[in-house]
Amino acid sequence: MNWAAQPESGAPDEASVLATAAAYAGAVAPADAAAEAPTVAELLPAPAGDEGAPHQDGSALLQMLGALVPAPVRPLPPGGPAALAERVNREFTPVLPELGLGPASLDALAGFLPEQTVRSAHPRTVAHLHCPPDPVAMAADTLVGVLGPSQDSWDQSAAPSAMEDEVVAAFSTLAFGAAGAGSITTGGTESNHLALLLARDEAVRRGFGVEPAADGLPPTACGRLRILASALGHFSLARAAAQLGLGERAVIPVPVLPDHRLDPRALARIAAEVTARGERIAAVVATAGTTDAGAIDPLAACAKTARAHGAWFHVDAAYGGGLLLSDVRRSMLAGLELADSASVDLHKLGWQTIPAGLLLTRDPTALGPLARRVAYLSDLDDEAEGYPNLLGRSLRTTRRADAVKILAACRHHGRSGYTRMIESCFGQAAYVAAHFEADPRFELALPPALTTVLFRYRARRGDPDRVNAAVRRDLLAAGKAVIGRTRLPEPAAGPGSLRLKLTLLRPQTTSAELDALLDLIAQSAADRDHPGT
Ligand SMILES: *Cc1c(COP(=O)(O)O)cnc(C)c1O
């Protein structure tokens, strides 16, 4: 079954979708099967105006990758962590031998790693926001690795510097309607850290008349800066608050509605209480796509509360930000354009190789305070003569040119390609959710908001949390599937709060493959469902 909304004419037939499914991402034919198997380039969704027609002219880079990485035969190696660690110790140490092994070092890896690594390109690898990487991104990433540019100064980079400018301009325009600024990051954790740093410094500058980058936090600000985020906000927010000298307790959790979205009335109430206590709200953080349920907080209402309190408004769209790529789903992010900053991870709903994060700011000058004048990287006269440097765009110095792979994949697929890939994943989530609703052995936790599905097996004899947890570990240990687990938030937390999670990020997966996965889970659960579990 093809999940993407296809035009009536020219929809790819089942066989071509299955061929694609067998091999996308990671995911290529072994060299000796090249005659029958599609090349990597053929495995990609067709570009606009060429629906369903495979590419015939695979690029040389993609074919090299194809020869190197066999298609996944299973989601992960069976046997569990201890045995594998022992094998790694036996076969890959000493790490630094006295005499180098030469080519044998790489040959050993090529024979070992594809079999012994969790394969995100397998249809039964569905635990995390861990997408199958796009072969186009892989190829561009390889090119960049070979060339080795670094983005901190123009004289280590050249074209990739200009490409990063273009990528930041394109994505900030998608997010905010006009070009802002941005940083290419390692992911949501770094993006959230950077956003809260900007928010903290702005609050200290405006509220306390101190430039924190130079003088640190004034004593009058200590213990008085607050961050308001959904109780289901990502843990990296609290971590960032700790690193930024605010303390984890500066993050005040705002209750959520039954569908896991932040309750906007609770936010307004808590914000008023915080301000009345004489504390200052440095940031309101909304989540666009919670990690578990994919819930999108009411962005416009959050923006309103942030504005009313003079607070920075950050949207953690690490997961949902990929919807910017979809003509069909983009409107789900309405209100994002009101944000001061947004985190978007393209290594989640964007099929990039890890890492590919974006921190976007609406104000083109927002990253100004990060700029550094360094004699050996960014002296004034060089800049005056037209040599830019991106040093002030990141907290890192030496920095990969991850913009290149983003640019390559975006231009390859276009909005139409991404729209179809995203529709496919939404379709799969709806299919699986409908199955859980119809099958009395399972219980759906809530309707899917994006492409994750939370559910559990209805244990009839054993403790439901223990049965469901054991099912997941059994599938891992057998090398059969990688499914996720989490717990429902308060007030449902406690005994019976454990839920399994399927994260559907592989566009080529067919209904038959999903059926097989669900059967596997049911079978494994039936084996575990007895009073001892
Ligand atoms: C994944 C995720 C993060 C963290 O992003 P990384 O890329 O893993 O650093 C932050 N927020 C949300 C909502 C996420 O889903």
Side-chain angles (χ1 to χ4, degrees):
M1 179 184 294
N2 174 34
W3 301 100
Q6 285 287 343
E8 286 297 326
S9 61
D13 61 18
E14 182 85 16
S16 84
V17 175
L18 280 170
T20 305
Y24 180 77
V28 263
D32 60 354
E36 308 86 65
T39 68
V40 187
E42 286 177 89
L43 307 175
L44 295 164
D50 188 21
E51 311 280 343
H55 296 245
Q56 296 305 336
D57 53 343
S59 85
L61 247 179
L62 287 173
Q63 283 173 8
M64 270 168 47
L65 287 169
L68 189 65
V69 186
V73 291
R74 60 188 180 201
L76 81 165
L84 190 54
E86 197 190 305
R87 197 171 156 199
V88 167
N89 177 262
R90 203 168 53 240
E91 296 181 31
F92 294 93
T93 64
V95 169
L96 185 64
E98 178 59 32
L99 276 180
L101 307 181
S105 169
L106 264 183
D107 288 345
L109 270 185
F112 177 84
L113 218 45
E115 286 274 301
Q116 302 299 329
T117 301
V118 170
R119 296 295 295 271
S120 53
H122 194 280
R124 291 196 302 276
T125 301
V126 287
H128 297 284
L129 291 164
H130 179 206
C131 58
D134 177 346
V136 176
M138 278 178 226
D141 214 5
T142 304
L143 193 58
V144 165
V146 170
L147 299 173
S150 178
Q151 298 294 70
D152 44 324
S153 64
W154 193 88
D155 63 4
Q156 302 175 81
S157 167
S161 271
M163 290 178 177
E164 180 166 324
D165 283 339
E166 298 293 351
V167 167
V168 163
F171 276 87
S172 56
T173 303
L174 279 174
F176 307 119
S183 178
I184 305 223
T185 68
T186 51
T189 302
E190 184 187 346
S191 298
N192 285 342
H193 178 95
L194 204 48
L196 292 183
L197 173 87
L198 297 174
R200 179 200 66 176
D201 287 4
E202 185 70 10
V204 170
R205 227 177 268 126
R206 286 211 272 156
F208 302 87
V210 169
E211 178 48 57
D215 298 317
L217 292 182
T220 46
C222 283
R224 291 182 54 212
L225 292 173
R226 297 286 176 255
I227 294 161
L228 272 48
S230 147
L232 298 179
H234 194 261
F235 71 89
S236 59
L237 298 169
R239 233 186 185 183
Q243 292 159 358
L244 293 167
L246 307 181
E248 296 208 3
R249 290 206 194 97
V251 182
I252 301 181
V254 178
V256 294
L257 300 164
D259 62 3
H260 291 203
R261 292 181 312 134
L262 175 147
D263 177 351
R265 282 198 270 179
L267 173 67
R269 178 175 47 76
I270 292 172
E273 288 165 7
V274 166
T275 306
R277 284 202 297 267
E279 298 166 357
R280 192 175 176 95
I281 303 171
V284 169
V285 180
T287 304
T290 55
T291 312
D292 284 337
I296 298 179
D297 290 343
L299 303 182
C302 294
K304 198 169 154 211
T305 299
R307 288 289 166 276
H309 293 268
W312 186 277
F313 178 41
H314 175 63
V315 177
D316 179 0
Y319 177 13
L323 301 183
L324 289 171
L325 300 166
S326 163
D327 289 336
V328 175
R329 305 282 169 175
R330 221 162 101 187
S331 59
M332 292 174 74
L333 297 175
L336 178 63
E337 70 284 357
L338 303 170
D340 293 299
S341 57
S343 304
V344 175
D345 272 1
L346 295 174
H347 56 228
K348 291 176 178 170
L349 200 53
W351 297 283
Q352 278 293 332
T353 56
I354 297 169
L358 291 160
L359 183 273
L360 304 167
T361 67
R362 187 161 40 85
D363 174 357
T365 67
L367 296 177
L370 300 184
R372 285 293 171 277
R373 194 62 68 197
V374 180
Y376 78 95
L377 288 172
S378 59
D379 223 343
L380 207 54
D381 57 325
D382 265 359
E383 218 167 274
E385 291 292 328
Y387 287 88
N389 72 82
L390 308 188
L391 181 62
R393 197 170 275 179
S394 175
L395 297 177
R396 287 179 280 160
T397 304
T398 301
R399 189 159 61 86
R400 298 165 51 92
D402 290 320
V404 175
K405 65 191 187 186
I406 296 173
L407 181 109
C410 285
R411 284 172 57 75
H412 182 104
H413 300 296
R415 289 207 316 274
S416 65
Y418 283 118
T419 299
R420 279 187 291 136
M421 290 155 82
I422 289 169
E423 283 314 287
S424 167
C425 296
F426 272 77
Q428 292 173 42
Y431 177 84
V432 168
H435 181 105
F436 288 142
E437 276 192 315
D439 185 336
R441 294 172 299 174
F442 292 107
E443 174 192 321
L444 179 69
L446 69 177
L450 299 179
T451 67
T452 58
V453 183
L454 298 176
F455 71 100
R456 66 175 164 182
Y457 178 79
R458 287 184 208 268
R460 279 178 300 180
R461 286 178 282 274
D463 169 344
D465 279 8
R466 284 213 266 170
V467 169
N468 281 278
V471 166
R472 178 180 153 278
R473 281 189 299 267
D474 286 349
L475 293 171
L476 282 178
K480 287 183 174 168
V482 188
I483 64 175
R485 62 171 276 174
T486 190
R487 287 192 187 271
L488 291 180
E490 312 278 0
S497 67
L498 193 138
R499 292 296 180 277
L500 299 174
K501 176 166 82 164
L502 304 184
T503 305
L504 301 155
L505 288 177
R506 184 175 175 277
Q508 302 73 16
T509 297
T510 62
S511 55
E513 285 167 331
L514 293 175
D515 290 343
L517 171 64
L518 300 178
D519 283 347
L520 197 59
I521 295 169
Q523 185 54 53
S524 178
D527 292 346
R528 276 287 180 176
D529 191 7
H530 47 74
T533 306

